[in-house]
Amino acid sequence: MPPFSPDQPHTILIAASAAYDAAALRRMLARHHLKVHAVTRGDEALGVARQGNVVLALLDVALAGSASLELCHRLQKASDRPLPVFLLSTHPSEEERARANEAGAAAYLPMSFPIDDMAEKILLYLHAISPAPVLAGMPTMATLEVNYHTMLAGSPDAILLIQRGSNRILDVNRRTRQLFGMTETELLQTDLLSLCPPVQPGGQPSQNVFAADLEQVMSGEVQLFELEMLHSSGRALACELRMVPLTTQAHRLMHVRIVDVTARKLAAELRDGKNALLEMIARGAPMQETLDKLVRLIEAQLDGGYCTVMLLNPDGVTVQSVAGPSMPPDYMNALNGLPIGPAAGSCGTAMYRKQTVIVSDILNDPLWTPYRNAALHYGLRACWSMPILQDKDKVLGSFAMYYREEREPNDDDRRLIHAATHLAGIAIASTHREEELQRHREHLEELVAARTAELQHAKEEAEHVNEELTTALDNLSMTQEELVRRDKLAALGALVAGVAHELSTPIGNSLTMAGSMSERTAELRHDLESGLRRSVLQAYLDEAAAADEVVLRNLNRAAALVAGFKRIAVDGGDSQRSRFVLGDVVAALLESVQGEVRQRELDLVEDVEHWLEMDSYPGPLTQALHNLIENSLVHGFGGRAHGQGSITLSAHDSGNGEIAITLSDTGAGIPADNLPRIYDPFFTTRRGAGGSGLGLYITHNIVTGVLGGRIEAASTPGQGTSFMVRLPKVAPV
C-alpha cells in the first residue's frame, strides 16, 4: 500500500445491509482528511467505487454474494487503483475466514468490531498513522506475562475464571467467596450455573438464558448482561455479569466479573412502588387494596420479614387489623378489638406512646407478656412497630415488621419502616378525608333537599304574593292614569286660567275703549244731522286719537303675550340642529344684550372655553341663555340703582361628555320660599310691572326638553342668584 497522502480527497466506502455506526467512524477519520460514504446495496457500492476516489472498503459478508464472495472481486476491479477490502461478519467462523482470504480480503473482522479499533486499523493500514515504537527494555504485549491468579486476588470486584463449554469454575477471588458465602474449595468444585436458581425471574431456565448471553458475548454483540444468582443461604442476588473470552492454544476460558446490584434494583423497585401507591391514592383506590400493595412492596425489600398495618378505632382505645397478607389470618383476627396501652405488644404500645417500639426478642420482652404465647405459637420472635400519625397528637394506626428470629433493625430497616409508615399515613388520611367528604356530601344533600322544599314553599308563596301584587299594580296603574289625567287637566286649567288672566286686561281695555268710541260716534252722527259744530268735531277727533293709542297699546300687549305663549311648548322640531363652537354662540348672545347691560351700568363678565364643540340646537340654546340674562336684569337688578353689580356667564367641559354653563349675578337674589316655584308658568313677583312669569318656565322646557340637559338654581337673598345648566355635547335625537 503506498504512503497515505492527505492532500487528495479519499473516501472510505461502507457497504452493509445491517445498521452500522458510520457517523462515529466519520467523526474519528475526519481529522485525517478521510471521508466516509455508506450504502446498503451492492450496486450502489460498485457505483461509488467506479468514481475512483475510494481508498478502502468495509464490506458486509451478507452483501458479498455467494460462497465465493464475488462482490469483493468486483469492487477491486471497479476501482482504478488497488482497493483493499475489509470483510465484516455478523457471525464470524474459521470456515468463513478462509473464504475471505481466498477472496483477497485485506482483513476479516466481526461486525461488532469496536469503532475506535476499526478507525485505528484503517489508519494503520493506509499509513495515515505510524505504529507505536518499541522502546528498548520495555515489555510488549507479546512478551508480557502476568500472573492471572495474583491479578484476580487483588481485584475489588467479584471475579471468577470459568472454562467455556463446561462452565466449570477454575479460579475465584476473595470478593467472590464473600458474595456467595462459600469457601474457595466449595466454589472450585462446582460450575457457574450451580450458583443460579433453576429458573430466572422471566420464567426461562437459567441454563438457556446463560447460553444465549454467552453466544452474544462470543459474537461481540454484548459484554454485560443481568443474571439472578443465589447466596449459599438461598437468598436471591441480582447480578450484572461482564464476560471477556480468554483463548489460548490449549484452553478456551472466560473471565467473569460479577457485581451485586440487588440493592440498586430494590431501590428502583421501592421508588417505582411508591409512585404506583401514590397514583392509587390519588385516584381514590380502596384503602384495603392500597395498604395490601404497600405491605407486599415493603416485604419484597426485606430478608425474611413480614409486615402488618393496624388502625386505631374511632373510640381511640381499641385496634383493628387491616393489612397483613403474609401473616396467619387467625393471628390477624385475634388482634381485632385489643386495647392499646403501655404494655400492649409492639403495635399497641407504639400507638399508646406515639413513638417507635423495637422488640428484638418477643420471648423475653415484658411488652409482649399478655400476647407472648400467641406470638410464639405462630413462630414470631421479633416485632418493630412505628405509629402512624396524622399530626403530632392524632394517631391513625401502626406499621409493623415481624421476623421469625431475634433481630435488631439496622439503618436501612429504620429508613424502610419510616418510609412505609409515611405512605400508610397518606393512604389512611386520604381515606378518612374522603369518608368525611362523603358524610358532608350526604349532609349537604339533606340540606339541599330541605332548602329546596323551603324554596319551593317560598316560590309558591311568592307566586301568590305576585298575583296579589299584579292585581294591586293593575289597580295602581289605573289610579296613576287617572291621576295623570287629572294632573294634565289641572295643569291645562292653570295654563288656560293664566292665559285668560294675562289676556283679559289688554282685551278688556280695548273693548271698553271701543265701546266708548262707539257711543261717541253715535252722538257725532246725531250732531251731524242737527248741524255739526267745529268744536264738537275737534273734540271727537281728539278722543278718537286717544282711543286709538289705548287700543293699539293693549293689542300689542296681547300679541306679545300670545307670542310668549307659543314659546311655552317649544321643541326641536322646527329648530335647526348643527355642530357649532359654543364660544361663537355666546359671543353673539352677549353682543345682543350688551346695550341693555351698559344702559344699566352693569359689568358683563365672560368666562367661556371658546373652542368647546357641541352637536345641538344653537337657536333654543341662545333663547334659554337670553332668558336667564333677562331674568337677572329684570328681577336681580330691576329695583337697584345703576352701576351696582355684575353678571357672569361661564362655560367649561365637565369631562363626562357634558358642558357646564353657569350664569350668576350679584343682584337681589330669590327668597327661599319662592325658589321651588321659579319654573312654574305665570309665577312672577313683578305682576303688572312687565313680568309675565313665563321666562324661566320656557327656559326649563328648552334645557330639559330640546337640549336634553338639566338646570339647577341657587340663591342667597341680597347676594345674588346662580343658574347651573348641564348640557350633553351631543343633544338627544
Side-chain angles (χ1 to χ4, degrees):
M1 183 72 189
F4 175 73
S5 175
D7 298 333
Q8 300 176 0
H10 299 293
T11 299
I12 304 300
L13 172 64
I14 300 176
S17 59
Y20 191 83
D21 194 356
L25 187 62
R26 183 180 295 113
R27 289 193 297 269
M28 298 194 69
L29 298 179
R31 61 190 180 92
H32 295 282
H33 307 283
L34 286 171
K35 299 180 180 179
V36 175
H37 190 115
V39 299
T40 58
R41 299 203 313 266
D43 56 342
E44 293 177 334
L46 290 171
V48 175
R50 292 189 184 101
Q51 296 177 5
N53 59 351
V54 178
V55 295
L56 188 144
L58 303 181
L59 177 61
D60 186 354
V61 171
L63 289 180
S66 61
S68 61
L69 307 175
E70 62 268 14
L71 184 57
C72 184
H73 296 286
R74 295 181 64 187
L75 285 173
Q76 292 170 338
K77 290 181 179 180
S79 176
D80 59 357
R81 66 176 70 185
L83 179 62
V85 178
F86 288 4
L87 282 173
L88 307 179
S89 176
T90 305
H91 301 287
S93 66
E94 293 301 325
E95 184 271 335
E96 193 175 61
R97 181 185 297 275
R99 289 192 289 115
N101 292 334
E102 293 176 2
Y108 175 75
L109 303 168
M111 183 67 73
S112 60
F113 197 67
I115 295 297
D116 53 348
D117 292 342
M118 180 66 76
E120 181 180 28
K121 193 171 187 65
I122 292 172
L123 294 172
L124 286 171
Y125 190 88
L126 297 177
H127 302 295
I129 60 175
S130 300
V134 177
L135 302 178
M138 297 296 293
T140 65
M141 292 304 297
T143 62
L144 180 65
E145 293 184 3
V146 177
N147 188 304
Y148 182 83
H149 183 78
T150 302
M151 182 181 69
L152 202 70
S155 174
D157 297 324
I159 304 292
L160 51 81
L161 182 68
I162 66 172
Q163 184 182 39
R164 294 208 307 268
S166 67
N167 300 322
R168 185 83 179 181
I169 298 175
L170 305 177
D171 198 2
V172 298
N173 65 351
R174 180 181 181 85
R175 184 69 187 90
T176 305
R177 299 196 298 270
Q178 293 174 345
L179 176 63
F180 292 103
M182 301 172 66
T183 66
E184 182 177 355
T185 302
E186 290 174 321
L187 288 169
L188 295 179
Q189 293 179 9
T190 185
D191 58 74
L192 187 141
L193 286 176
S194 298
L195 301 177
C196 301
V199 179
Q200 290 293 307
Q204 294 291 323
S206 294
Q207 182 176 0
N208 296 348
V209 173
F210 182 74
D213 293 335
L214 183 61
E215 181 179 357
Q216 288 183 310
V217 170
M218 294 305 299
S219 66
E221 294 182 14
V222 298
Q223 286 184 324
L224 182 69
F225 57 89
E226 290 188 4
L227 193 71
E228 184 174 283
M229 308 185 81
L230 293 176
H231 188 268
S232 60
S233 64
R235 175 169 52 90
L237 301 173
C239 297
E240 283 184 351
L241 276 65
R242 183 179 294 273
M243 301 201 304
V244 179
L246 301 176
T247 302
T248 66
Q249 293 181 352
H251 303 285
R252 298 168 60 214
L253 308 176
M254 185 69 71
H255 173 87
V256 183
R257 182 172 69 90
I258 303 175
V259 178
D260 184 3
V261 295
T262 304
R264 188 177 71 192
K265 293 181 70 68
L266 286 176
E269 291 173 0
L270 180 61
R271 182 186 63 250
D272 295 341
K274 287 180 179 179
N275 293 336
L277 284 169
L278 291 174
E279 289 180 3
M280 292 178 66
I281 295 171
R283 69 170 182 264
M287 182 177 65
Q288 180 72 51
E289 178 183 348
T290 303
L291 294 179
D292 277 349
K293 185 176 181 64
L294 170 62
V295 167
R296 294 186 185 278
L297 172 65
I298 301 303
E299 288 178 344
Q301 301 283 316
L302 301 178
D303 181 15
Y306 307 94
C307 300
T308 64
V309 178
M310 307 291 292
L311 289 184
L312 183 62
N313 287 322
D315 60 13
V317 176
T318 59
V319 300
Q320 176 187 0
S321 61
V322 291
S326 301
M327 292 289 285
D330 291 341
Y331 177 79
M332 296 299 293
N333 292 332
L335 299 177
N336 293 330
L338 294 179
I340 65 174
S346 297
C347 295
T349 306
M351 284 187 261
Y352 180 81
R353 294 179 181 178
K354 301 177 184 177
Q355 62 185 21
T356 303
V357 173
I358 304 297
V359 174
S360 58
D361 182 7
I362 292 177
L363 181 61
N364 298 306
D365 196 300
L367 294 180
W368 276 84
T369 300
Y371 317 111
R372 180 179 297 122
N373 293 335
L376 296 179
H377 174 74
Y378 293 103
L380 305 176
R381 291 299 304 272
C383 181
W384 318 328
S385 183
M386 187 171 185
I388 303 172
L389 304 175
Q390 185 170 352
D391 48 46
K392 292 183 178 180
D393 297 322
K394 185 173 182 180
V395 178
L396 300 177
S398 66
F399 188 95
M401 292 180 178
Y402 286 86
Y403 287 91
R404 296 188 180 277
E405 70 276 356
E406 298 179 19
R407 185 163 178 172
E408 286 280 350
N410 56 29
D411 292 340
D412 290 337
D413 294 329
R414 293 180 184 275
R415 283 193 292 269
L416 193 59
I417 194 172
H418 185 274
T421 303
H422 179 65
L423 288 172
I426 294 175
I428 297 170
S430 176
T431 301
H432 286 181
R433 285 193 295 271
E434 184 61 32
E435 292 173 351
E436 185 68 20
L437 285 174
Q438 183 60 34
R439 287 193 294 270
H440 283 302
R441 292 190 194 101
E442 295 173 355
H443 182 58
L444 182 59
E445 289 176 359
E446 295 175 358
L447 292 176
V448 169
R451 184 59 178 163
T452 301
E454 294 177 3
L455 291 175
Q456 182 64 30
H457 179 66
K459 178 175 176 291
E460 294 173 355
E461 291 185 352
E463 290 176 349
H464 177 67
V465 172
N466 188 49
E467 293 177 358
E468 295 179 351
L469 290 175
T470 301
T471 303
L473 182 60
D474 292 340
N475 295 334
L476 183 61
S477 297
M478 295 174 60
T479 303
Q480 183 180 13
E481 292 174 359
E482 179 65 21
L483 291 175
V484 170
R485 185 179 65 81
R486 291 181 182 180
D487 287 344
K488 287 181 178 180
L489 290 176
L492 182 60
L495 183 61
V496 171
V499 171
H501 176 75
E502 292 293 328
L503 291 178
S504 63
T505 299
I507 293 176
N509 291 340
S510 298
L511 288 175
T512 300
M513 189 55 68
S516 175
M517 288 307 298
S518 177
E519 293 177 358
R520 291 292 293 127
T521 301
E523 292 177 358
L524 181 61
R525 184 177 290 110
H526 181 269
D527 289 343
L528 183 60
E529 292 177 354
S530 59
L532 182 63
R533 295 192 303 273
R534 182 179 179 87
S535 59
V536 173
L537 179 60
Q538 185 62 43
Y540 176 78
L541 292 175
D542 292 339
E543 291 178 2
D548 289 342
E549 182 181 355
V550 172
V551 170
L552 184 60
R553 185 173 64 252
N554 282 278
L555 289 178
N556 285 334
R557 170 64 176 164
L561 289 171
V562 170
F565 298 153
K566 293 170 71 176
R567 290 196 300 270
I568 292 176
V570 64
D571 57 42
D574 297 331
S575 302
Q576 185 67 36
R577 181 183 182 128
S578 64
R579 294 185 64 87
F580 58 90
V581 176
L582 180 60
D584 295 341
V585 173
V586 171
L589 170 64
L590 297 184
E591 184 179 358
S592 67
V593 300
Q594 189 68 40
E596 187 173 0
V597 173
R598 287 178 180 174
Q599 183 179 356
R600 294 177 180 267
E601 299 181 0
L602 298 174
D603 294 329
L604 184 58
V605 181
E606 177 189 356
D607 180 19
V608 177
E609 294 182 20
H610 185 87
W611 297 108
L612 292 176
E613 289 191 0
M614 298 184 67
D615 181 1
S616 190
Y617 300 92
L621 174 59
T622 300
Q623 180 183 351
L625 296 178
H626 185 276
N627 287 349
L628 292 177
I629 294 174
E630 185 69 23
N631 182 76
S632 291
L633 293 173
V634 173
H635 297 283
F637 300 101
R640 287 192 175 187
H642 289 187
Q644 298 179 359
S646 63
I647 299 175
T648 301
L649 178 63
S650 63
H652 302 280
D653 191 339
S654 297
N656 58 352
E658 291 184 340
I659 293 177
I661 302 175
T662 304
L663 190 132
S664 57
D665 61 49
T666 58
I670 302 174
D673 294 340
N674 293 341
L675 198 60
R677 302 178 57 196
I678 59 175
Y679 302 121
D680 292 348
F682 302 110
F683 175 75
T684 181
T685 59
R686 294 181 60 83
R687 183 78 63 191
S692 64
L694 295 177
L696 290 181
Y697 177 65
I698 294 173
T699 299
H700 184 272
N701 285 354
I702 292 173
V703 171
T704 60
V706 178
L707 302 180
R710 57 192 186 278
I711 183 172
E712 300 172 357
S715 180
T716 301
Q719 298 183 14
T721 302
S722 177
F723 287 92
M724 171 69 78
V725 179
R726 297 185 182 274
L727 301 177
K729 292 182 180 180
V730 180
V733 180

